[in-house]
Amino acid sequence: MFQTHCQDLTFVFVFVFVPCILIIRILHHLLLKSLRNSLLSLQKTLHSLVLFITMSNSNDDSSAVDPPPFDPLQPSIPISYPIKTLQDLHSRAYFDSFHYPFNKSTVPIHPLNGASPTLPARPRILVCHDMQGGYVDDKWVQGGINADAYAIWHWHLMDVFVYFSHSLVTLPPPCWTNTAHRHGVKVLGTFITEWDEGKVIATELLSTKESAHTYAERLAELAVALGFDGWLLNMEVNLDVDQIPNLKEFVSHLTQTMHSSVPGSLVIWYDSVTIDGKLDWQDQLNEKNKPFFDICDGIFVNYTWEEDYPKLSAAVAGDRKFDVYMGIDVFGRNTFGGGQWHTNVALDVIKKDDVSAAIFAPGWIYETKQSPDFQTAQNHWWSLVEKSWGILQNYPKVLPFYSNFDQGHGLHISLEGEQMLDSPWNNISSQGFQPMLEFKDDPNPDTIQVLVDFKEASYSGGGNVTFKGTLEENASFIARLFQAELLLGNFPVYITYSVKSEETSLLGLLLEFSSARKERKSVLLASRRIDQSSTKFSELVVPRQVKMLETTTEWATREARIIMDGYAITGISAVCYRPEPSRRTLESASNVQDNASVHTPAEYFAILGDISIKTSGQNSDFPLSSSWLVEAQYVKFASDSQGTKTLSAKIIWKLKDGNDSVFPQYNIYLGKPAKQAVGSLDGRVESTQEYLGVARVESFYISDLIIPSNTDALKFIIQVCSVEGTSQNLDKSPFLLLDVKDK
């Protein structure tokens, strides 16, 4: 299980396995297992080679001089990385790392909504992410520079996300935990022992009951400190039968410790070693692996199962059948249904037999460069999952709710319609709530295409939802944005959204409501009248225009106030429509020949920048700049042979009153020297700021920042951002003035 994706095995399959086809057909499953064991050594070598090549290539510029070995104690650009030795796990060395504070996730999975932390009592989907040895573009905690970096945005189709690599202790980068939690998805790290080295590790781990407990407590401590929700355990080695009691102690103690520390946490056992110590994948839940299943939260069944195995496993699990996760390898390596574009074949069988699914390596789409491009292929592949299982996560569920449709990578970054960064970037932590757009396999060129667009201007962050195509005058087009579960009370709710469009391309929002008595209503928010024959709604609300930004971007922000006591918002859709034609237009149209149509399709183009839903009492009250204590640590100045000076430093901030900050994000800027405003006659000056990045913990590392000549001080501004998408004015934000004269 979890071998690295290697193409170099083609020769072995052609010249060794082909002559054995007849035998394989007879022995099938048993022979498959024995052949897999014989390939472990070869695949380990290939995996090590690929991993070495992958880790040798980074976003840094290439150099003829080998970089120094990574020292986690020394200040450097913050990264995520695994724990590779049992000694480092035991000594708690990770907590001494310079990088540890940056790797804490800050988004709770169920923020203040009273929701149960346990998984729902239904079939679930677990997604296990395995890509190129792990820690690729996602290792850069403060973000990278690859606009095409891999990301997942179909969070509404899963319940659990596992971050996997072949290192002993795989710690999920905080970007995955932050965005998964935002969407209600639990995140697990991985503990794995494999190969000969893994057997040595297992011997030490399981030497005594006390050692088993100690290492279980170390893993639980890491999950609590970094904010993720548990572990996938993969003991992929042969063990002596007398080691099994301590293995069970390890699994049981880890499960109990996690549960007591993090309500709703999970420990999932992978179908590998059996109760008699043999590394023998069962491909189902049975008497050989059920003793481990009984002392943890579920089992990830190996992916080479047969069609009746989900039903058999359900029978063995009894009332815990939803805790059985039948594995599917998207790469298609001996997996039922073939994986790849046929992954839904296995999903259909699993769903029919009422157990859960574990999808392994959906990054296959990205790694194999499926056509026509990653965005389209990813949306297409996940649409097959939705068609098989439906939507699993509804949002919004709580207020305030905000989404700027950012996917965590792009070509620019904007704030309230103003572009702050004009270069490629990636940071999965920046994902807003992702829209549940429906994929059209063969889009009609005569209708509207809906997509998250990175090239068009953004109102906030680096994404938007773009609507483009053709639309007749009296027609409308409806596109699903969110499937919600948001109960409203007897107070007004304010819905705000930003739009950029042509005068003849109008964009509104359609809100669907349902009451406890199953009464249904729909409210259309539209700035102009709309032909009700094309869009059915119970009530029309004309939103007020809050502001039209005085920039060339021409963003308009609109706000509507509604009261729907006793109802819940169940759906939010975008409505594309055209203004009703004027009387002169109709009279002109009547002069055309009889067989001509007045409803001539015309080009349509509109952009939805963001959406916010909140009550009047949920407006942010940002602390005064003087309320913050801002400091610099690890300050280092350097100069090159040309005399260019650079600065590296860790900027930290906290509230002076000692209270924990409730703000989810901080934008970091470098204040530029003031200059006289162009055309100013009164001597008025204006200053500019350079966007440096974003932080989700109260610290940010500045690396090799070039200090302009003749500069005495540098001003670093920390712009505080709220959960409803607003940001503190820069001139009122906390800042640090750092003396750089004569440094």
Side-chain angles (χ1 to χ4, degrees):
M1 169 60 183
F2 299 153
Q3 289 83 26
T4 303
H5 323 312
C6 303
Q7 297 179 344
D8 294 335
L9 296 178
T10 303
F11 180 88
V12 177
F13 277 86
V14 171
F15 292 94
V16 177
F17 292 166
V18 170
C20 299
I21 290 178
L22 293 177
I23 300 175
I24 293 174
R25 287 178 177 174
I26 297 172
L27 299 179
H28 188 60
H29 190 61
L30 294 178
L31 183 57
L32 178 63
K33 292 181 179 179
S34 65
L35 288 173
R36 175 171 47 192
N37 289 334
S38 70
L39 288 171
L40 289 180
S41 178
L42 175 59
Q43 288 194 320
K44 178 183 178 182
T45 302
L46 292 172
H47 165 258
S48 299
L49 177 60
V50 172
L51 183 58
F52 172 79
I53 294 173
T54 299
M55 297 303 288
S56 298
N57 290 294
S58 69
N59 290 344
D60 298 332
D61 293 336
S62 60
S63 173
V65 180
D66 291 335
F70 172 64
D71 184 351
L73 299 180
Q74 296 302 312
S76 62
I77 298 175
I79 65 169
S80 299
Y81 63 94
I83 297 174
K84 297 185 176 181
T85 69
L86 207 57
Q87 291 72 28
D88 283 347
L89 176 61
H90 185 271
S91 67
R92 305 175 70 251
Y94 183 83
F95 295 107
D96 297 324
S97 167
F98 173 80
H99 304 265
Y100 158 58
F102 295 93
N103 275 275
K104 297 179 180 180
S105 65
T106 55
V107 180
I109 188 167
H110 291 295
L112 307 178
N113 64 351
S116 171
T118 59
L119 290 171
R122 56 159 172 76
R124 311 159 192 143
I125 289 183
L126 176 153
V127 172
C128 189
H129 172 61
D130 173 38
M131 179 175 289
Q132 300 172 0
Y135 305 100
V136 191
D137 291 300
D138 54 3
K139 74 178 178 181
W140 305 107
V141 178
Q142 294 180 172
I145 57 173
N146 182 10
D148 297 320
Y150 178 75
I152 286 176
W153 52 86
H154 295 83
W155 298 104
H156 57 290
L157 303 179
M158 68 187 79
D159 299 284
V160 182
F161 176 85
V162 179
Y163 193 81
F164 178 86
S165 81
H166 286 275
S167 295
L168 177 66
V169 181
T170 300
L171 302 171
C175 61
W176 290 108
T177 308
N178 283 335
T179 193
H181 279 184
R182 187 173 294 118
H183 292 85
V185 175
K186 296 180 186 292
V187 176
L188 309 184
T190 304
F191 180 83
I192 185 172
T193 60
E194 55 185 347
W195 323 118
D196 294 338
E197 180 185 5
K199 186 168 178 57
V200 174
I201 290 172
T203 298
E204 182 178 347
L205 170 72
L206 306 175
S207 58
T208 65
K209 176 180 177 180
E210 290 72 24
S211 66
H213 283 196
T214 295
Y215 289 113
E217 290 165 6
R218 293 291 187 270
L219 292 177
E221 181 184 29
L222 284 163
V224 172
L226 297 180
F228 59 93
D229 307 293
W231 295 96
L232 171 67
L233 300 180
N234 186 7
M235 301 294 294
E236 207 147 16
V237 292
N238 284 297
L239 298 174
D240 296 332
V241 69
D242 57 4
Q243 293 177 299
I244 298 302
N246 285 341
L247 176 58
K248 293 175 67 176
E249 285 288 341
F250 173 67
V251 177
S252 177
H253 192 64
L254 176 58
T255 304
Q256 294 173 20
T257 306
M258 283 301 309
H259 288 180
S260 62
S261 303
V262 182
S265 57
L266 299 173
V267 174
I268 305 292
W269 175 260
Y270 181 69
D271 168 29
S272 50
V273 69
T274 62
I275 197 64
D276 54 11
K278 294 180 180 179
L279 180 56
D280 188 12
W281 300 268
Q282 298 301 296
D283 302 324
Q284 61 182 305
L285 178 65
N286 60 22
E287 72 283 355
K288 292 187 177 182
N289 51 30
K290 189 173 184 293
F292 301 112
F293 173 79
D294 289 340
I295 55 176
C296 68
D297 299 301
I299 184 170
F300 185 146
V301 174
N302 189 46
Y303 51 72
T304 55
W305 47 270
E306 298 179 8
E307 187 169 3
D308 60 341
Y309 285 10
K311 181 183 295 185
L312 295 174
S313 298
V316 173
D319 59 4
R320 287 191 61 201
K321 61 183 179 180
F322 301 141
D323 296 334
V324 176
Y325 299 84
M326 302 299 297
I328 308 170
D329 179 15
V330 180
F331 274 78
R333 294 161 296 189
N334 303 308
T335 198
F336 181 84
Q340 302 183 12
W341 291 105
H342 304 289
T343 298
N344 56 306
V345 173
L347 285 171
D348 290 344
V349 172
I350 295 170
K351 184 68 178 296
K352 173 178 65 69
D353 292 329
D354 213 26
V355 292
S356 295
I359 299 175
F360 179 70
W364 167 81
I365 307 160
Y366 184 89
E367 291 192 65
T368 58
K369 297 179 172 59
Q370 293 295 299
S371 62
D373 57 76
F374 174 57
Q375 284 280 324
T376 304
Q378 170 111 313
N379 290 332
H380 184 189
W381 189 89
W382 281 99
S383 74
L384 301 177
V385 177
E386 180 179 345
K387 184 177 180 181
S388 178
W389 276 54
I391 290 175
L392 303 182
Q393 299 282 353
N394 294 331
Y395 48 82
K397 289 185 177 180
V398 295
L399 293 178
F401 172 78
Y402 177 78
S403 178
N404 59 6
F405 315 113
D406 196 322
Q407 280 189 359
H409 54 101
L411 301 171
H412 56 259
I413 292 177
S414 298
L415 181 65
E416 294 187 349
E418 181 180 354
Q419 187 166 282
M420 310 304 296
L421 180 73
D422 185 20
S423 60
W425 67 278
N426 65 278
N427 189 337
I428 296 173
S429 274
S430 295
Q431 277 196 11
F433 278 97
Q434 292 300 294
M436 306 173 185
L437 304 182
E438 297 177 271
F439 177 78
K440 304 296 183 182
D441 192 7
D442 186 18
N444 186 338
D446 295 329
T447 187
I448 303 295
Q449 296 182 43
V450 186
L451 68 154
V452 172
D453 198 307
F454 311 103
K455 296 180 181 179
E456 294 292 341
S458 298
Y459 180 77
S460 174
N464 58 64
V465 180
T466 296
F467 307 83
K468 59 183 179 181
T470 59
L471 190 66
E472 293 183 352
E473 284 183 349
N474 288 341
S476 63
F477 175 86
I478 300 176
R480 181 185 71 191
L481 294 176
F482 301 105
Q483 183 169 294
E485 194 176 324
L486 180 60
L487 182 63
L488 304 180
N490 61 348
F491 45 80
V493 172
Y494 296 85
I495 299 97
T496 308
Y497 58 102
S498 59
V499 175
K500 179 184 177 184
S501 68
E502 301 293 337
E503 183 68 21
T504 58
S505 299
L506 302 182
L507 186 66
L509 294 180
L510 182 65
L511 308 179
E512 302 285 347
F513 297 88
S514 178
S515 71
R517 293 180 293 181
K518 306 301 182 183
E519 297 172 318
R520 297 188 180 278
K521 292 184 178 181
S522 57
V523 175
L524 177 66
L525 311 182
S527 58
R528 304 270 190 93
R529 289 184 57 190
I530 183 173
D531 184 359
Q532 193 162 355
S533 65
S534 63
T535 302
K536 303 299 182 182
F537 52 89
S538 309
E539 181 181 351
L540 173 65
V541 174
V542 177
R544 70 184 184 95
Q545 185 159 299
V546 179
K547 56 184 174 180
M548 171 72 81
L549 297 180
E550 297 297 330
T551 67
T552 57
T553 57
E554 298 178 349
W555 286 98
T557 300
R558 300 187 175 101
E559 181 182 80
R561 176 182 180 273
I562 60 173
I563 299 179
M564 295 289 288
D565 187 16
Y567 281 82
I569 298 178
T570 57
I572 304 174
S573 300
V575 179
C576 304
Y577 67 103
R578 293 196 178 281
E580 290 187 336
S582 65
R583 183 173 181 179
R584 172 178 292 183
T585 301
L586 293 175
E587 291 174 349
S588 175
S590 67
N591 294 325
V592 301
Q593 53 187 337
D594 294 340
N595 61 349
S597 173
V598 175
H599 310 305
T600 304
E603 289 188 3
Y604 180 95
F605 184 85
I607 303 174
L608 180 62
D610 68 348
I611 181 172
S612 168
I613 307 176
K614 60 185 179 182
T615 65
S616 59
Q618 291 177 319
N619 294 315
S620 290
D621 184 14
F622 295 109
L624 298 175
S625 174
S626 58
S627 302
W628 297 87
L629 178 65
V630 187
E631 298 178 325
Q633 298 177 339
Y634 303 101
V635 178
K636 177 183 177 182
F637 295 94
S639 298
D640 62 16
S641 58
Q642 283 75 40
T644 301
K645 294 196 300 183
T646 60
L647 165 70
S648 296
K650 179 183 179 183
I651 311 298
I652 63 171
W653 54 93
K654 62 181 179 180
L655 289 168
K656 292 179 179 178
D657 61 12
N659 292 328
D660 291 335
S661 170
V662 297
F663 301 102
Q665 176 177 313
Y666 307 88
N667 295 324
I668 313 300
Y669 299 85
L670 173 64
K672 292 294 188 70
K675 60 182 180 180
Q676 184 168 345
V678 177
S680 173
L681 300 178
D682 57 2
R684 179 170 48 89
V685 298
E686 60 182 19
S687 60
T688 60
Q689 293 80 31
E690 177 185 351
Y691 177 83
L692 297 180
V694 61
R696 283 169 181 80
V697 294
E698 294 174 355
S699 57
F700 188 84
Y701 188 71
I702 309 292
S703 177
D704 296 324
L705 178 70
I706 295 177
I707 302 173
S709 58
N710 302 319
T711 300
D712 294 338
L714 294 176
K715 183 179 182 180
F716 296 99
I717 305 170
I718 296 92
Q719 184 181 42
V720 185
C721 305
S722 70
V723 292
E724 64 264 21
T726 58
S727 303
Q728 190 170 23
N729 291 335
L730 285 176
D731 58 358
K732 297 181 180 180
S733 296
F735 65 90
L736 171 70
L737 199 62
L738 187 63
D739 181 18
V740 298
K741 184 178 181 181
D742 300 326
K743 299 296 185 179

